[in-house]
Amino acid sequence: MKVAFLGLGRMGAPMAAHVVRAGHDVTVWNRTSGKAGDLLDLGATEGLSVAAAVADAEVVVLMLFGPDAVRAVLADVIAGAPGALVVDASTIGPEAAHEFAKACHAEGLRYVDAPVAGSVKPATDGTLGVFLGGAADDVQLARELAVLWGDPDRVLHVGGVGSASALKLCVNQGLGVMAAGLGESLRLGRDLGIDKDLLLLVLSQTAYGWYLNQKLPMIQADDFTAATFSVDLMAKDLDLAVTSADSDLEVTRACLDQAKRTLAAGHSGEDYAAITGHLAGEGEANGY
Ligand SMILES: NC(=O)c1ccc[n+]([C@@H]2O[C@H](COP(=O)([O-])OP(=O)(O)OC[C@H]3O[C@@H](n4cnc5c(N)ncnc54)[C@H](OP(=O)(O)O)[C@@H]3O)[C@@H](O)[C@H]2O)c1
């Protein structure tokens, strides 16, 4: 297949590598140049503009920061890749998915929202969960690529356009609440005079186990610079969750507020576990 892959960030680069390795004819593009090196070594071509990257593409994969980033490239995709299938792997929320599908359909392109569950290691290993939203024949084609970066058993056709993005928001809302919740558990322990290492050990044997299995070293070292999923992405997703719901998600709003405070405290490019660390240590400097 002739594939254009737009967005070579932490997730996009390893996902695109699977497509190249599978033997497809891949042209990559990234807003900031200089990120295509390894992919070019594998056999990809680099497009110097969106228009150049998508020319003649049958499928255009987007793996961008969020809805604004997709909006910034979509007009060039639509103009440059007539008839193509757009597979949008970015986390954008259902409203934007409907907007982008409508824009694509109006000009004869096809659109599937295809957000992923899992982070950089599963992206590198090709074991991500992938949610697909769209018409059956569009999803069938999208699936041919999604199984390259996803675990085939976890590549799920969820429903029509937007359904996959809706499901993805529920996944990340839970992670955001967990990050903030643990921060407050640690603060509670601190206030009650519990040793931090003991507390982390015991909490790692509770419902926080999955999260601490990944984030414990960062939280212990109070160093969140080795980001896989950054605070700004989590803030974007919590904001999408709050604005997508008809009802008032009060807890999620509080967690969004904490994510914003973590950003304001200078943790922008850091891992979202910095939300835990920031909440735990706010106002104190006694090891928490
Ligand atoms: N990291 C994870 O663990 C993870 C897991 C599941 C889903 N996701 C989702 O996957 C998507 C990508 O995440 P990531 O971790 O790869 O993020 P990232 O490393 O921050 O990469 C973001 C990408 O978006 C591009 N971009 C940002 N604003 C843009 C704009 N206005 N126009 C064009 N391109 C723009 C960036 O280009 P530049 O290089 O020029 O900045 C970069 O290629 C996000 O929607 C995220 O929520 C991430």
Side-chain angles (χ1 to χ4, degrees), residues 80-281:
L85 170 69
V86 175
V87 176
D88 194 349
S90 329
T91 303
I92 52 169
E95 199 179 321
H98 285 294
E99 173 195 331
F100 302 149
K102 195 173 167 196
C104 287
H105 294 161
E107 298 299 328
L109 286 80
R110 304 152 75 188
Y111 180 92
V112 167
D113 54 323
V116 302
S119 196
V120 175
K121 185 164 187 324
T124 306
D125 295 345
T127 56
L128 288 164
V130 185
F131 310 135
L132 299 172
D137 50 346
D138 297 345
V139 165
Q140 196 180 350
L141 181 55
R143 192 183 162 84
E144 288 184 35
L145 294 181
V147 293
L148 300 176
W149 55 73
D151 169 352
D153 291 337
R154 297 179 59 221
V155 177
L156 305 176
H157 184 188
V158 180
V161 163
S163 58
S165 296
L167 182 58
K168 171 64 185 170
L169 280 194
C170 297
V171 171
N172 277 23
Q173 181 267 355
L175 297 181
V177 169
M178 183 149 42
L182 179 61
E184 230 163 59
S185 301
L186 295 179
R187 197 195 286 191
L188 173 65
R190 180 194 70 195
D191 290 353
L192 297 180
I194 300 171
D195 176 75
K196 183 182 180 185
D197 288 335
L198 172 65
L199 182 56
L200 283 168
L201 173 69
V202 171
L203 289 178
S204 70
Q205 295 158 359
T206 71
Y208 287 123
W210 179 89
Y211 175 73
L212 280 172
N213 189 34
Q214 301 171 43
K215 307 301 180 186
L216 185 62
M218 287 187 189
I219 293 168
Q220 281 174 323
D222 198 26
D223 180 351
F224 304 95
T225 48
T228 52
F229 182 62
S230 54
V231 186
D232 46 3
L233 286 173
M234 180 53 87
K236 178 256 302 177
D237 291 351
L238 291 172
D239 187 55
L240 283 170
V242 164
T243 54
S244 298
D246 291 336
S247 52
D248 184 6
L249 304 185
E250 291 178 64
V251 172
T252 311
R253 256 196 305 115
C255 296
L256 170 60
D257 187 43
Q258 292 303 334
K260 286 180 177 169
R261 286 165 68 169
T262 306
L263 289 174
H267 299 279
S268 177
E270 297 183 5
D271 194 84
Y272 82 101
I275 299 169
T276 305
H278 182 68
L279 251 164

Side-chain angles (χ1 to χ4, degrees), residues 10-11 30-32 35 63-65 91 118-119 228 236:
R10 286 192 185 93
M11 296 293 285
N30 195 67
R31 178 183 61 173
T32 308
K35 295 203 176 174
M63 193 46 168
L64 302 170
F65 188 92
T91 303
S119 196
T228 52
K236 178 256 302 177

